[in-house]
C-alpha cells in the first residue's frame, strides 16, 4: 500500500504536528509528512519541522495582495509535492475556496470543542464561560464555513467543578494527540467515506 502524502498547516506550538510526526516514526501511521505550511516565522512548530527534517513553506500574509494570492501560492506547493491529505493543526487563518474546492474531502481540521458548539477562537474558554459540563475535541472536514464541515470523530472531556482553562486545555490536547493520528490512519486505510454531510467510518 502506498503511503499517504500529508501536509500540515499550523501557526503556533505544533503539538499536533509533533504527534503526527511521532506516530509516523513509531510505525503507527502509514503516511509521509511532506510539508509544513506556516504563517508565523517565530512559531515553535517551525523548529519542530526542522528537527524532524520536514520541508516548511513559511509565508508572510502581509507580503501578498490578498488571501487568494497566498492561498494560490500554497496550492502550488501542495500540487508540486503531490499532497493527498491536508491537515490543519492550529492553523489560525480562514481557508477559502481557493484551497477548499480542490481539496474538499481531503482537507481536515481539529477543533477543541464538541462542534457545532463553540466554533471559532478560544473554544475552551467559550465552553467554560457558557458553563457546559462537558466539552471535547472534533475532527472534521473543512468546508467554506467556520468549523462547519462534516464531522469525522469526536471525543468528550468533562469539565469538573472549579477547573481552570489550563487544566481543560491539557486534557483536550492529550486527547487531540491520540485522536488526530488515529483519524489520519483511517484515511490511510481507506476507512472514511463522506456521503452528503454524513461521514461513515468502516471499522470492520
Ligand atoms: C489545538 O488545541 C487545536 O485544536 C486548536 O489549536 C490548538 C493548536 O495546538 N485549534 C483551533 O482552535 C482551531 N480553531 P498545537 O499548535 O499545539 O497543535
Amino acid at each position: 500500500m502506498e503511503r499517504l502524502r500529508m501536509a500540515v498547516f499550523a501557526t503556533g506550538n505544533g503539538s499536533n504536528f509533533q504527534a503526527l510526526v511521532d506516530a509516523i516514526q513509531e510505525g503507527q501511521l502509514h503516511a509521509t509528512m511532506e510539508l509544513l505550511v506556516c504563517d508565523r516565522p517565530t512559531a515553535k512548530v517551525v523548529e519542530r519541522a526542522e528537527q524532524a527534517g520536514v520541508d516548511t513553506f513559511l509565508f508572510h500574509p502581509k507580503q501578498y495582495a490578498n488571501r487568494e494570492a497566498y492561498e494560490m501560492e500554497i496550492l502550488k506547493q501542495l500540487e508540486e509535492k503531490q499532497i493527498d491529505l491536508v491537515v490543519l493543526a492550529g492553523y489560525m487563518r480562514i481557508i477559502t475556496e481557493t484551497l477548499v474546492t480542490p481539496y474538499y474531502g481531503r482537507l481536515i481540521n481539529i477543533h477543541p470543542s464538541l462542534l457545532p458548539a463553540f466554533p471559532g477562537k478560544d473554544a475552551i474558554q467559550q465552553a467554560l464561560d457558557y458553563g457546559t459540563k462537558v466539552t471535547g475535541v472534533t475532527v472534521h472536514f473543512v468546508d467554506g464555513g467556520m468549523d462547519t464541515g462534516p464531522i469525522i470523530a469526536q471525543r468528550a472531556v468533562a469539565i469538573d467543578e472549579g477547573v481552570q482553562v489550563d487544566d481543560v486545555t491539557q486534557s483536550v490536547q492529550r486527547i487531540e494527540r491520540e485522536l488526530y493520528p488515529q483519524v489520519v490512519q483511517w484515511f490511510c486505510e481507506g476507512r472514511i467515506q463522506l456521503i452528503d454531510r454524513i461521514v461513515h467510518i468502516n471499522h470492520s
Side-chain angles (χ1 to χ4, degrees):
M1 193 169 48
E2 287 236 337
R3 284 181 176 265
L4 189 114
R5 297 169 66 83
M6 301 170 60
V8 168
F9 290 21
T11 296
N13 177 28
S15 67
N16 281 288
F17 170 82
Q18 190 68 55
L20 291 161
V21 165
D22 292 348
I24 291 170
Q25 276 171 4
E26 286 157 15
Q28 287 160 13
L29 185 49
H30 201 81
T32 57
M33 185 66 79
E34 296 294 332
L35 185 67
L36 169 72
V37 173
C38 181
D39 57 334
R40 200 150 61 82
T42 55
K44 167 99 175 148
V45 70
V46 175
E47 242 173 75
R48 294 182 190 268
E50 212 168 286
Q51 273 182 11
V54 174
D55 288 350
T56 298
F57 173 62
L58 197 56
F59 69 101
H60 302 266
K62 287 194 177 129
Q63 291 176 356
Y64 293 82
N66 50 34
R67 197 188 303 272
E68 190 187 356
Y70 69 70
E71 287 196 345
M72 289 293 284
E73 182 59 35
I74 294 173
L75 183 61
K76 203 174 111 205
Q77 301 280 332
L78 297 177
E79 286 174 350
E80 268 173 26
K81 290 203 173 276
Q82 299 178 299
I83 298 300
D84 301 309
L85 183 69
V86 175
V87 176
L88 308 187
Y91 179 67
M92 295 307 183
R93 290 190 169 270
I94 287 168
I95 297 232
T96 70
E97 59 187 18
T98 306
L99 288 169
V100 172
T101 304
Y103 273 93
Y104 188 70
R106 301 183 298 147
L107 171 56
I108 63 175
N109 181 41
I110 194 159
H111 182 77
S113 77
L114 293 176
L115 291 171
F118 312 125
K121 274 192 178 169
D122 302 324
I124 296 171
Q125 189 65 54
Q126 287 187 56
L128 284 166
D129 292 347
Y130 195 92
T132 60
K133 305 302 181 197
V134 176
T135 188
V137 176
T138 302
V139 178
H140 64 94
F141 285 107
V142 176
D143 63 9
M146 169 74 85
D147 300 321
T148 51
I151 291 171
I152 302 169
Q154 293 186 302
R155 296 286 181 273
V157 172
I159 300 182
D160 296 327
E161 193 61 40
V163 290
Q164 304 295 309
V165 69
D166 287 353
D167 306 317
V168 184
T169 301
Q170 269 189 22
S171 305
V172 160
Q173 293 198 342
R174 202 173 313 120
I175 288 179
E176 289 188 338
R177 291 194 287 268
E178 282 174 24
L179 185 62
Y180 224 5
Q182 172 68 80
V183 168
V184 175
Q185 180 58 18
W186 290 342
F187 270 94
C188 298
E189 293 168 1
R191 293 180 188 274
I192 298 183
Q193 201 188 9
L194 174 59
I195 302 175
D196 299 325
R197 74 157 289 129
I198 306 303
V199 177
H200 300 272
I201 316 285
N202 179 358
H203 287 296
S204 62

